Amino acid sequence: MIQALLSNRQRPDLPPVPVCFPIADYAGIYESLQAIGLGSIAVRDCFVKEISGDYPILKRLEETEINVDELDYLAKRLESFDKYERAQFQGTAVSKDYSNMTDFINLTFSCQEVTVVQDFTDLTTVGRMHYMNLNGGLTEDDLSTVDFQKTALSLLLNEEGTVTPYGVVYENDMELELCYDGLYFPDYRYSGDTLLAIAVIDDSLSDDTTDIAWLYLPMEDCQIERALLRAGISEEHMRLAYVDSELPGVLTNLIGTEESLYELNRLCIHYQKLDTGYRQKAEAALQMASPTSIAQASNLLSQLDLFDFIPGISTPEEYGRDMIIDSGHYEFDENLEEYIDFKEYGKQRMAGEYGRFTENGYISYHGFISIEEVMAGSETERMDMEMGGMQL
């Protein structure tokens, strides 16, 4: 985490806003910044009074103005770094004398090419790390054939390093690649909870443009709005490319039936809240209802309590056995099991309810209104049913 105290340089009378990066509550942070006249979409307007965290090199940003979205993106990139990568990033920043946000962001994509030596007594480790930096990794064959001590000695005796507080930096002819141009953030899947990655492009641009606003759903609506404004893309003139989906096939197949980013986001929010068991139930309910739009699917997911789901069964006999033995609705005497016609009981239940077998198991609907009305956005309560004198 990176902690920063941000203030309005033009209004020193206004209280500064403390912000932890990466930002967890976007809407709340931007509301606090806007209250003191800060939080521009693309302008660097936040004066950094203090900054702290795992990256002392970022102290270089103190007494300068930054853009809050840029610092948030940088913090997301840095959060994934291990101890050695932190030394590479900070050591290279000192060696190259980087101190602005654009260079810092681009450095996160390039610093892995340099070698930082912090312990000269372990030549094997130094040589292994240097070899990895030069070649982008190690193979099993490399581990058995490369003399890493010799590699380390060649580096230390023939190359000139730069002494920094983070170790001695050997730049290895690293070139700072312009991944970030100061406006469009490069594709970076920060959260493992991303369900849908979308490239948003101005439809007036060519198909091979790199001017892309990347969205990773679910996210706060204000994040979507800010990303589009930053890229200068209006909802009327945007083209969506769906790059990656972690949604079940029944939902992924609906993408493209409508172009509302906010409806897609609402769907992802509903789905993300479901645990593994409920996701199976959701997929079965979607197979049963066959929604034709993202909006219908989202409305259905918001009322999953109207459905009962039994995973892993595919026949009326299994359904009847589950209801009598496993459901807990009845007091079952195992001595009577051979006298019970589970198949017939399963058929009777199915005849009295709206249900079907799906790929995942048996799903049944128990609302007072039709599924079509639920998918249209109407809300209802669950309808309990009675069978055999017992309310279920």
Side-chain angles (χ1 to χ4, degrees), residues 82-381:
D82 59 26
K83 183 178 179 180
Y84 185 67
E85 287 176 306
R86 291 199 294 269
Q88 288 176 304
F89 174 80
Q90 297 187 107
T92 307
V94 172
S95 174
K96 293 285 193 179
D97 196 27
Y98 295 143
S99 60
N100 69 73
M101 191 66 73
T102 302
D103 287 343
F104 279 148
I105 290 175
N106 284 320
L107 184 57
T108 64
F109 292 93
S110 306
C111 66
Q112 294 82 359
E113 299 174 22
V114 308
T115 299
V116 179
V117 181
Q118 298 173 306
D119 181 1
F120 287 86
T121 64
D122 188 351
L123 293 182
T124 299
T125 298
V126 170
R128 184 186 297 114
M129 295 304 297
H130 182 54
Y131 188 91
M132 287 177 59
N133 298 334
L134 292 178
N135 297 279
L138 283 172
T139 66
E140 290 294 328
D141 187 56
D142 292 333
L143 290 171
S144 60
T145 60
V146 177
D147 186 337
F148 293 118
Q149 286 197 10
K150 184 177 179 180
T151 301
L153 288 172
S154 176
L155 170 70
L156 301 178
L157 295 175
N158 300 314
E159 301 294 336
E160 184 175 348
T162 302
V163 179
T164 78
Y166 310 100
V168 180
V169 176
Y170 298 87
E171 296 178 4
N172 303 332
D173 297 322
M174 183 210 82
E175 294 292 335
L176 190 66
E177 186 178 355
L178 189 63
C179 297
Y180 174 58
D181 61 2
L183 183 62
Y184 295 93
F185 293 119
D187 179 16
Y188 178 62
R189 318 289 170 86
Y190 163 68
S191 172
D193 293 331
T194 295
L195 294 175
L196 185 63
I198 304 175
V200 186
I201 306 166
D202 189 322
D203 63 8
S204 66
L205 302 177
S206 61
D207 289 336
D208 60 351
T209 182
T210 57
D211 296 343
I212 298 171
W214 288 96
L215 302 176
Y216 309 103
L217 307 186
M219 58 198 304
E220 294 183 47
D221 282 351
C222 69
Q223 289 179 269
I224 296 175
E225 181 181 1
R226 287 179 66 90
L228 296 180
L229 288 172
R230 184 181 185 90
I233 302 174
S234 66
E235 289 193 61
E236 300 82 45
H237 299 97
M238 67 181 179
R239 182 170 78 253
L240 305 182
Y242 304 101
V243 179
D244 191 23
S245 174
E246 296 297 325
L247 295 167
V250 66
L251 292 178
T252 300
N253 292 338
L254 291 175
I255 296 174
T257 59
E258 55 187 271
E259 299 300 319
S260 170
L261 278 173
Y262 298 98
E263 199 61 65
L264 276 173
N265 194 43
R266 178 171 168 252
L267 173 73
C268 290
I269 289 171
H270 282 314
Y271 190 77
Q272 188 186 61
K273 291 178 180 178
L274 305 176
D275 61 24
T276 302
Y278 263 80
R279 289 187 179 189
Q280 280 190 316
K281 179 180 181 179
E283 192 166 355
L286 289 164
Q287 291 175 16
M288 177 189 203
S290 300
T292 58
S293 71
I294 293 295
Q296 287 185 349
S298 188
N299 289 332
L300 191 72
L301 292 182
S302 68
Q303 296 197 73
L304 277 181
D305 58 327
L306 300 176
F307 294 84
D308 283 342
F309 175 61
I310 305 173
I313 66 171
S314 57
T315 67
E317 181 176 358
E318 291 176 316
Y319 181 39
R321 177 177 291 275
D322 184 273
M323 292 306 301
I324 292 176
I325 298 178
D326 299 326
S327 68
H329 292 315
Y330 299 101
E331 186 175 337
F332 174 70
D333 186 345
E334 61 182 16
N335 295 317
L336 300 177
E337 182 173 351
E338 62 180 297
Y339 301 103
I340 299 174
D341 189 339
F342 295 109
K343 181 177 181 180
E344 185 60 29
Y345 178 67
K347 286 182 176 180
Q348 288 181 18
R349 282 196 61 90
M350 292 179 65
E353 64 188 11
Y354 182 43
R356 57 164 285 195
F357 290 105
T358 69
E359 297 173 5
N360 300 325
Y362 181 76
I363 188 83
S364 56
Y365 172 68
H366 301 280
F368 279 102
I369 60 178
S370 68
I371 289 184
E372 288 71 25
E373 290 174 291
V374 171
M375 291 194 294
S378 298
E379 295 186 2
T380 185
E381 294 181 353

Side-chain angles (χ1 to χ4, degrees), residues 37-81:
L38 300 179
S40 170
I41 299 295
V43 175
R44 293 173 180 171
D45 62 347
C46 297
F47 183 71
V48 182
K49 295 192 69 173
E50 296 177 17
I51 193 166
S52 60
D54 294 331
Y55 290 86
I57 192 66
L58 297 184
K59 299 288 283 186
R60 293 185 172 197
L61 295 174
E62 287 186 345
E63 304 296 315
T64 69
E65 289 177 310
I66 58 97
N67 175 264
V68 69
D69 287 311
E70 285 184 331
L71 184 51
D72 187 58
Y73 183 84
L74 175 63
K76 289 175 179 177
R77 292 281 303 164
L78 294 176
E79 191 173 62
S80 68
F81 280 18

